[in-house]
Amino acid sequence: MKAKDAVGAVLRAEGVEVVTGFPHNQVFDGAVSAGIRTICARTERIAANIADGLARATGGRKIGVTLVQYGPGAENVYGAVAQAWADASPLLVVSSGYDTAEHGIVPNFHAPAAYVPITKWAGVVNRADRIPEVFGQAFAHLRTGKPGPVVVEIPGDLMDAEIADRAFAYKPCKLAQPAGDAALTREVVAALLKAKAPVIVAGQGVLYAEAWDELKAFAELTGAPVMTTLAGKSAFPEDHALALGTAGRTRPTTVDRFMAGADFILGIGTSFTRSEYTQTPPPGKVVVQITNDPVDIRKSYPVAFGIVGDAKTTLAALIEAARSKGADGLRAKAVAKSIAAERAKFMKAWGPRLASDAEPISPYRVIAALMRVVDRRKTVVTHDSGNPRDQTVPFYETLVPHGYIGWGKSTQLGTGLGLAMGAKLARPDWLAVNIMGDAAFGMVGMDVETAVRERIPVMTVIFRNGVMGGYTKNHPVATQKYGIHKQTGHYADVARALGAAGERVERVADLEP
């Protein structure tokens, strides 16, 4: 077989059902020969965002794969890979490369060297018969430890190189995640049960480990309230009596109150990265961190206990230890009552915005309408960066795992559209919604045509206010003199021109219909 077909066979063996990309890359034909669907986006960045969204929506059970060409293709996709790296998403980028005789010639772009800072691993196929070896290593990185992107480059002159059928053999490797130290786990539980006001911070690792049932059981057993990180939103049902909400850049007051009053903070499946887009533990707290990557332990501030382990297996051990120490969940009732009181105060302050009939329409009114209209148990919502994220995260209440894709350690405008398309590919029977603003649509709006052409039905909600909100304070002189914060457009008209359905809603009465 040819090398390009060998790559297709490897991808198929690893369970890949769809690849995205932008030509040319001969692996497109190799993938089709293996029975894999190929999707061509308008740009490499959106192609990678779609693959990224597919991976996120399945907690890495499906690996997102995108194909790009050598040189400009590998250069153009860099931003999307950086986004996947920031948010710990398992994305595989397969790039063609300059012919082997042209390696090392300036200014030819050599992807593996350039991508080292923003990937878990970046490799090159230097002989066609090494395809099983190189891709085997790539998938091992994609499926173990903390998720992250991987890049593989294949020189163009090797794509059609022949591999003897008898010499080609590939079988996916069975892989296991790390388990936390048992003795340390028991010590953590003892300390939590002695604490007067423990709080659990659940991160994206809970979603990737499919540990949401264990998290719920442990919270109820110990009476510890749960807040999620932005990337972990939907790991814990936000209608649960012990739910504090999402600890994002904007957040309900339940998060601030309970974080400030906590004497013991247990982080599960979170890197605890310092960021303005997530709440980090205040100084002076006893902090415990459970993560599958030792690089993240103590990287920003001290922790009392650091456990390297998979969230699911470690939570199971925590539950067993809590039961053995007599945990009975009795304090859960009092904690839930306190949460309910604080939530009531928060909603008294913000409820009028969610119910407002004022026109122009409040974005908070849009979010409230969305929650009433959709089936939140079969819907995945994602935001874009900026105001759409800040307005949506505190108020869109998630009920089921992967019912939301939160992202934002890097905040590239327009990412949400591709993520929603990938989520729809992952779960065709769910509704996929992305919420964005003028600036984000300006970055990626032409890829509405990709969704139409590739039959990926998603719903995009655009908060069209004609400005880049929140930017004026950063450059008041340029804003006043040249209006650099202003943007204009009738985006529903653009959508219709690209083959999609488009609606402009200017009256509150028309919003929910």
Short mmCIF file of all heavy atoms in Angstrom, two decimals, residues 106-153:
data_model
loop_
_atom_site.label_atom_id
_atom_site.label_comp_id
_atom_site.label_asym_id
_atom_site.label_seq_id
_atom_site.Cartn_x
_atom_site.Cartn_y
_atom_site.Cartn_z
N VAL A 106 16.30 27.23 4.42
CA VAL A 106 15.61 28.44 4.87
C VAL A 106 14.95 29.11 3.67
O VAL A 106 15.58 29.22 2.61
CB VAL A 106 16.62 29.40 5.54
CG1 VAL A 106 15.94 30.71 5.94
CG2 VAL A 106 17.28 28.74 6.74
N PRO A 107 13.67 29.54 3.74
CA PRO A 107 12.82 29.64 4.94
C PRO A 107 11.75 28.55 5.03
O PRO A 107 10.67 28.81 5.54
CB PRO A 107 12.17 31.00 4.73
CG PRO A 107 11.92 31.04 3.25
CD PRO A 107 13.07 30.31 2.62
N ASN A 108 11.99 27.37 4.53
CA ASN A 108 10.97 26.31 4.56
C ASN A 108 10.52 26.04 5.99
O ASN A 108 11.34 25.92 6.90
CB ASN A 108 11.52 25.04 3.93
CG ASN A 108 11.73 25.18 2.43
OD1 ASN A 108 11.31 26.17 1.83
ND2 ASN A 108 12.38 24.20 1.82
N PHE A 109 9.20 25.92 6.18
CA PHE A 109 8.61 25.75 7.51
C PHE A 109 8.59 24.27 7.86
O PHE A 109 8.00 23.46 7.15
CB PHE A 109 7.18 26.31 7.50
CG PHE A 109 6.50 26.29 8.84
CD1 PHE A 109 6.73 27.30 9.76
CD2 PHE A 109 5.62 25.28 9.18
CE1 PHE A 109 6.08 27.29 11.00
CE2 PHE A 109 4.97 25.26 10.41
CZ PHE A 109 5.21 26.27 11.32
N HIS A 110 9.24 23.93 8.95
CA HIS A 110 9.30 22.54 9.42
C HIS A 110 8.43 22.44 10.66
O HIS A 110 8.78 22.92 11.74
CB HIS A 110 10.75 22.17 9.73
CG HIS A 110 10.95 20.74 10.11
ND1 HIS A 110 10.47 19.68 9.37
CD2 HIS A 110 11.60 20.18 11.17
CE1 HIS A 110 10.80 18.54 9.94
NE2 HIS A 110 11.49 18.83 11.04
N ALA A 111 7.25 21.82 10.53
CA ALA A 111 6.24 21.84 11.59
C ALA A 111 6.71 21.28 12.93
O ALA A 111 6.48 21.91 13.96
CB ALA A 111 4.98 21.12 11.11
N PRO A 112 7.35 20.09 12.98
CA PRO A 112 7.70 19.56 14.30
C PRO A 112 8.52 20.53 15.15
O PRO A 112 8.25 20.68 16.35
CB PRO A 112 8.49 18.30 13.95
CG PRO A 112 7.92 17.86 12.65
CD PRO A 112 7.65 19.14 11.91
N ALA A 113 9.49 21.19 14.56
CA ALA A 113 10.32 22.12 15.33
C ALA A 113 9.50 23.32 15.80
O ALA A 113 9.63 23.78 16.94
CB ALA A 113 11.50 22.58 14.49
N ALA A 114 8.62 23.83 14.94
CA ALA A 114 7.85 25.03 15.27
C ALA A 114 6.78 24.77 16.31
O ALA A 114 6.42 25.66 17.09
CB ALA A 114 7.21 25.59 14.00
N TYR A 115 6.27 23.54 16.37
CA TYR A 115 5.13 23.23 17.23
C TYR A 115 5.52 22.69 18.60
O TYR A 115 4.64 22.46 19.44
CB TYR A 115 4.19 22.25 16.53
CG TYR A 115 3.23 22.92 15.57
CD1 TYR A 115 3.54 23.06 14.22
CD2 TYR A 115 2.04 23.44 16.03
CE1 TYR A 115 2.67 23.69 13.35
CE2 TYR A 115 1.15 24.07 15.17
CZ TYR A 115 1.48 24.19 13.83
OH TYR A 115 0.62 24.82 12.97
N VAL A 116 6.77 22.49 18.86
CA VAL A 116 7.19 21.94 20.16
C VAL A 116 6.60 22.71 21.35
O VAL A 116 6.12 22.09 22.31
CB VAL A 116 8.72 21.85 20.24
CG1 VAL A 116 9.18 21.62 21.68
CG2 VAL A 116 9.23 20.72 19.35
N PRO A 117 6.60 24.05 21.34
CA PRO A 117 6.11 24.77 22.53
C PRO A 117 4.62 24.61 22.80
O PRO A 117 4.16 24.88 23.91
CB PRO A 117 6.44 26.24 22.21
CG PRO A 117 7.46 26.19 21.13
CD PRO A 117 7.15 24.98 20.33
N ILE A 118 3.81 24.19 21.80
CA ILE A 118 2.36 24.16 22.01
C ILE A 118 1.77 22.78 21.70
O ILE A 118 0.59 22.66 21.35
CB ILE A 118 1.65 25.24 21.16
CG1 ILE A 118 1.97 25.08 19.67
CG2 ILE A 118 1.99 26.62 21.66
CD1 ILE A 118 1.06 25.90 18.77
N THR A 119 2.55 21.74 21.85
CA THR A 119 2.05 20.38 21.67
C THR A 119 2.60 19.46 22.76
O THR A 119 3.64 19.73 23.35
CB THR A 119 2.47 19.80 20.30
OG1 THR A 119 3.89 19.85 20.18
CG2 THR A 119 1.83 20.56 19.16
N LYS A 120 1.91 18.36 22.98
CA LYS A 120 2.45 17.32 23.86
C LYS A 120 3.62 16.62 23.17
O LYS A 120 4.56 16.18 23.83
CB LYS A 120 1.37 16.28 24.18
CG LYS A 120 0.34 16.71 25.19
CD LYS A 120 -0.55 15.54 25.59
CE LYS A 120 0.18 14.53 26.46
NZ LYS A 120 -0.71 13.45 26.94
N TRP A 121 3.50 16.51 21.86
CA TRP A 121 4.53 15.80 21.10
C TRP A 121 4.41 16.20 19.63
O TRP A 121 3.30 16.39 19.12
CB TRP A 121 4.35 14.29 21.24
CG TRP A 121 5.42 13.46 20.60
CD1 TRP A 121 6.69 13.27 21.04
CD2 TRP A 121 5.30 12.69 19.39
NE1 TRP A 121 7.37 12.43 20.18
CE2 TRP A 121 6.54 12.06 19.17
CE3 TRP A 121 4.25 12.47 18.49
CZ2 TRP A 121 6.76 11.22 18.08
CZ3 TRP A 121 4.47 11.64 17.40
CH2 TRP A 121 5.72 11.02 17.21
N ALA A 122 5.53 16.36 18.96
CA ALA A 122 5.54 16.68 17.53
C ALA A 122 6.59 15.80 16.86
O ALA A 122 7.76 15.81 17.25
CB ALA A 122 5.85 18.16 17.31
N GLY A 123 6.15 14.99 15.89
CA GLY A 123 7.06 14.04 15.27
C GLY A 123 7.02 14.13 13.75
O GLY A 123 6.18 14.81 13.16
N VAL A 124 7.94 13.42 13.12
CA VAL A 124 8.04 13.40 11.67
C VAL A 124 8.18 11.96 11.19
O VAL A 124 8.85 11.15 11.84
CB VAL A 124 9.20 14.28 11.17
CG1 VAL A 124 10.54 13.76 11.69
CG2 VAL A 124 9.22 14.38 9.66
N VAL A 125 7.54 11.65 10.09
CA VAL A 125 7.72 10.34 9.44
C VAL A 125 8.88 10.47 8.47
O VAL A 125 8.76 11.13 7.44
CB VAL A 125 6.43 9.92 8.70
CG1 VAL A 125 6.67 8.62 7.94
CG2 VAL A 125 5.28 9.77 9.68
N ASN A 126 10.00 9.88 8.80
CA ASN A 126 11.17 10.00 7.91
C ASN A 126 11.35 8.79 7.00
O ASN A 126 12.18 8.81 6.09
CB ASN A 126 12.45 10.23 8.72
CG ASN A 126 12.71 9.15 9.74
OD1 ASN A 126 11.95 8.17 9.82
ND2 ASN A 126 13.77 9.30 10.52
N ARG A 127 10.55 7.74 7.24
CA ARG A 127 10.50 6.60 6.33
C ARG A 127 9.08 6.08 6.32
O ARG A 127 8.42 6.03 7.36
CB ARG A 127 11.43 5.46 6.78
CG ARG A 127 12.90 5.72 6.67
CD ARG A 127 13.70 4.39 6.71
NE ARG A 127 13.16 3.39 7.59
CZ ARG A 127 13.57 3.16 8.84
NH1 ARG A 127 14.53 3.89 9.35
NH2 ARG A 127 13.02 2.20 9.56
N ALA A 128 8.60 5.67 5.17
CA ALA A 128 7.21 5.23 5.06
C ALA A 128 6.91 4.05 5.98
O ALA A 128 5.82 3.97 6.57
CB ALA A 128 6.89 4.87 3.62
N ASP A 129 7.86 3.15 6.14
CA ASP A 129 7.60 1.97 6.97
C ASP A 129 7.54 2.29 8.46
O ASP A 129 7.24 1.42 9.27
CB ASP A 129 8.62 0.86 6.68
CG ASP A 129 10.05 1.28 6.99
OD1 ASP A 129 10.27 2.44 7.43
OD2 ASP A 129 10.97 0.45 6.80
N ARG A 130 7.82 3.54 8.83
CA ARG A 130 7.74 3.95 10.24
C ARG A 130 6.37 4.55 10.59
O ARG A 130 6.16 4.99 11.73
CB ARG A 130 8.83 4.96 10.58
CG ARG A 130 10.25 4.39 10.59
CD ARG A 130 11.23 5.35 11.25
NE ARG A 130 10.92 5.53 12.66
CZ ARG A 130 10.86 6.74 13.26
NH1 ARG A 130 11.04 7.84 12.57
NH2 ARG A 130 10.59 6.82 14.55
N ILE A 131 5.45 4.57 9.65
CA ILE A 131 4.13 5.16 9.92
C ILE A 131 3.45 4.50 11.13
O ILE A 131 2.96 5.22 12.03
CB ILE A 131 3.24 5.10 8.66
CG1 ILE A 131 3.69 6.18 7.68
CG2 ILE A 131 1.76 5.26 9.00
CD1 ILE A 131 3.03 6.13 6.33
N PRO A 132 3.40 3.17 11.23
CA PRO A 132 2.77 2.58 12.43
C PRO A 132 3.46 3.00 13.72
O PRO A 132 2.80 3.28 14.73
CB PRO A 132 2.90 1.07 12.20
CG PRO A 132 3.01 0.93 10.71
CD PRO A 132 3.80 2.12 10.26
N GLU A 133 4.77 3.07 13.70
CA GLU A 133 5.53 3.43 14.90
C GLU A 133 5.25 4.88 15.31
O GLU A 133 4.96 5.17 16.48
CB GLU A 133 7.02 3.25 14.61
CG GLU A 133 7.94 3.72 15.73
CD GLU A 133 9.40 3.72 15.30
OE1 GLU A 133 9.74 3.05 14.30
OE2 GLU A 133 10.20 4.39 15.96
N VAL A 134 5.35 5.81 14.35
CA VAL A 134 5.18 7.23 14.65
C VAL A 134 3.74 7.53 15.08
O VAL A 134 3.51 8.22 16.08
CB VAL A 134 5.59 8.10 13.44
CG1 VAL A 134 5.26 9.57 13.70
CG2 VAL A 134 7.07 7.93 13.15
N PHE A 135 2.76 7.00 14.36
CA PHE A 135 1.38 7.27 14.72
C PHE A 135 0.97 6.53 15.99
O PHE A 135 0.12 7.01 16.76
CB PHE A 135 0.45 6.92 13.56
CG PHE A 135 0.35 8.04 12.56
CD1 PHE A 135 1.24 8.12 11.50
CD2 PHE A 135 -0.61 9.03 12.69
CE1 PHE A 135 1.18 9.16 10.58
CE2 PHE A 135 -0.68 10.07 11.78
CZ PHE A 135 0.20 10.14 10.72
N GLY A 136 1.56 5.39 16.25
CA GLY A 136 1.32 4.70 17.52
C GLY A 136 1.75 5.56 18.69
O GLY A 136 1.05 5.66 19.71
N GLN A 137 2.91 6.19 18.54
CA GLN A 137 3.39 7.08 19.59
C GLN A 137 2.48 8.30 19.72
O GLN A 137 2.17 8.76 20.83
CB GLN A 137 4.83 7.52 19.30
CG GLN A 137 5.51 8.21 20.47
CD GLN A 137 6.99 8.43 20.23
OE1 GLN A 137 7.52 8.13 19.17
NE2 GLN A 137 7.68 8.94 21.23
N ALA A 138 2.03 8.83 18.57
CA ALA A 138 1.14 9.99 18.60
C ALA A 138 -0.13 9.69 19.37
O ALA A 138 -0.57 10.47 20.23
CB ALA A 138 0.81 10.42 17.17
N PHE A 139 -0.76 8.54 19.10
CA PHE A 139 -2.02 8.22 19.78
C PHE A 139 -1.80 7.88 21.25
O PHE A 139 -2.70 8.09 22.07
CB PHE A 139 -2.74 7.09 19.04
CG PHE A 139 -3.59 7.58 17.90
CD1 PHE A 139 -3.11 7.56 16.61
CD2 PHE A 139 -4.85 8.09 18.13
CE1 PHE A 139 -3.88 8.04 15.56
CE2 PHE A 139 -5.64 8.57 17.10
CZ PHE A 139 -5.16 8.55 15.80
N ALA A 140 -0.64 7.36 21.60
CA ALA A 140 -0.35 7.14 23.01
C ALA A 140 -0.33 8.46 23.77
O ALA A 140 -0.84 8.57 24.89
CB ALA A 140 0.99 6.42 23.16
N HIS A 141 0.26 9.48 23.16
CA HIS A 141 0.25 10.82 23.78
C HIS A 141 -1.16 11.39 23.85
O HIS A 141 -1.53 12.05 24.82
CB HIS A 141 1.16 11.77 22.99
CG HIS A 141 2.61 11.58 23.26
ND1 HIS A 141 3.22 11.98 24.42
CD2 HIS A 141 3.60 11.01 22.50
CE1 HIS A 141 4.53 11.69 24.38
NE2 HIS A 141 4.77 11.10 23.23
N LEU A 142 -1.95 11.15 22.82
CA LEU A 142 -3.30 11.70 22.76
C LEU A 142 -4.23 11.06 23.78
O LEU A 142 -5.17 11.70 24.26
CB LEU A 142 -3.89 11.51 21.36
CG LEU A 142 -3.28 12.39 20.26
CD1 LEU A 142 -3.59 11.82 18.88
CD2 LEU A 142 -3.80 13.83 20.37
N ARG A 143 -3.99 9.81 24.15
CA ARG A 143 -4.93 9.07 24.98
C ARG A 143 -4.48 8.89 26.44
O ARG A 143 -5.21 8.30 27.23
CB ARG A 143 -5.19 7.70 24.37
CG ARG A 143 -5.87 7.75 22.99
CD ARG A 143 -6.36 6.36 22.60
NE ARG A 143 -6.82 6.29 21.22
CZ ARG A 143 -8.02 6.67 20.79
NH1 ARG A 143 -8.87 7.19 21.63
NH2 ARG A 143 -8.36 6.55 19.51
N THR A 144 -3.31 9.37 26.81
CA THR A 144 -2.85 9.19 28.18
C THR A 144 -2.50 10.53 28.81
O THR A 144 -2.14 11.49 28.12
CB THR A 144 -1.62 8.28 28.26
OG1 THR A 144 -0.57 8.84 27.45
CG2 THR A 144 -1.94 6.89 27.77
N GLY A 145 -2.58 10.57 30.14
CA GLY A 145 -2.19 11.77 30.86
C GLY A 145 -3.08 12.95 30.53
O GLY A 145 -4.21 12.82 30.06
N LYS A 146 -2.57 14.12 30.80
CA LYS A 146 -3.30 15.35 30.49
C LYS A 146 -3.44 15.49 28.98
O LYS A 146 -2.46 15.38 28.25
CB LYS A 146 -2.54 16.55 31.06
CG LYS A 146 -3.22 17.89 30.83
CD LYS A 146 -2.37 19.00 31.44
CE LYS A 146 -3.00 20.37 31.21
NZ LYS A 146 -2.18 21.45 31.83
N PRO A 147 -4.66 15.72 28.48
CA PRO A 147 -4.82 15.83 27.03
C PRO A 147 -4.08 17.02 26.45
O PRO A 147 -3.75 17.99 27.15
CB PRO A 147 -6.33 16.00 26.86
CG PRO A 147 -6.94 15.53 28.13
CD PRO A 147 -5.93 15.83 29.20
N GLY A 148 -3.83 16.95 25.15
CA GLY A 148 -3.18 18.04 24.46
C GLY A 148 -2.98 17.69 23.00
O GLY A 148 -3.11 16.53 22.60
N PRO A 149 -2.66 18.68 22.17
CA PRO A 149 -2.51 18.43 20.74
C PRO A 149 -1.19 17.75 20.40
O PRO A 149 -0.20 17.86 21.13
CB PRO A 149 -2.57 19.83 20.12
CG PRO A 149 -2.12 20.74 21.21
CD PRO A 149 -2.54 20.11 22.50
N VAL A 150 -1.20 17.04 19.28
CA VAL A 150 -0.03 16.34 18.74
C VAL A 150 0.06 16.67 17.25
O VAL A 150 -0.97 16.76 16.57
CB VAL A 150 -0.16 14.82 18.95
CG1 VAL A 150 0.85 14.05 18.11
CG2 VAL A 150 0.02 14.47 20.43
N VAL A 151 1.26 16.86 16.75
CA VAL A 151 1.48 17.15 15.34
C VAL A 151 2.39 16.09 14.73
O VAL A 151 3.41 15.73 15.33
CB VAL A 151 2.09 18.55 15.14
CG1 VAL A 151 2.56 18.76 13.69
CG2 VAL A 151 1.09 19.64 15.51
N VAL A 152 2.01 15.57 13.57
CA VAL A 152 2.85 14.64 12.80
C VAL A 152 3.03 15.20 11.40
O VAL A 152 2.04 15.54 10.74
CB VAL A 152 2.23 13.23 12.73
CG1 VAL A 152 3.08 12.33 11.82
CG2 VAL A 152 2.12 12.62 14.12
N GLU A 153 4.27 15.29 10.95
CA GLU A 153 4.57 15.78 9.60
C GLU A 153 5.04 14.62 8.73
O GLU A 153 5.83 13.78 9.17
CB GLU A 153 5.65 16.86 9.65
CG GLU A 153 5.97 17.46 8.28
CD GLU A 153 7.09 18.48 8.36
OE1 GLU A 153 8.28 18.08 8.28
OE2 GLU A 153 6.78 19.68 8.51
#
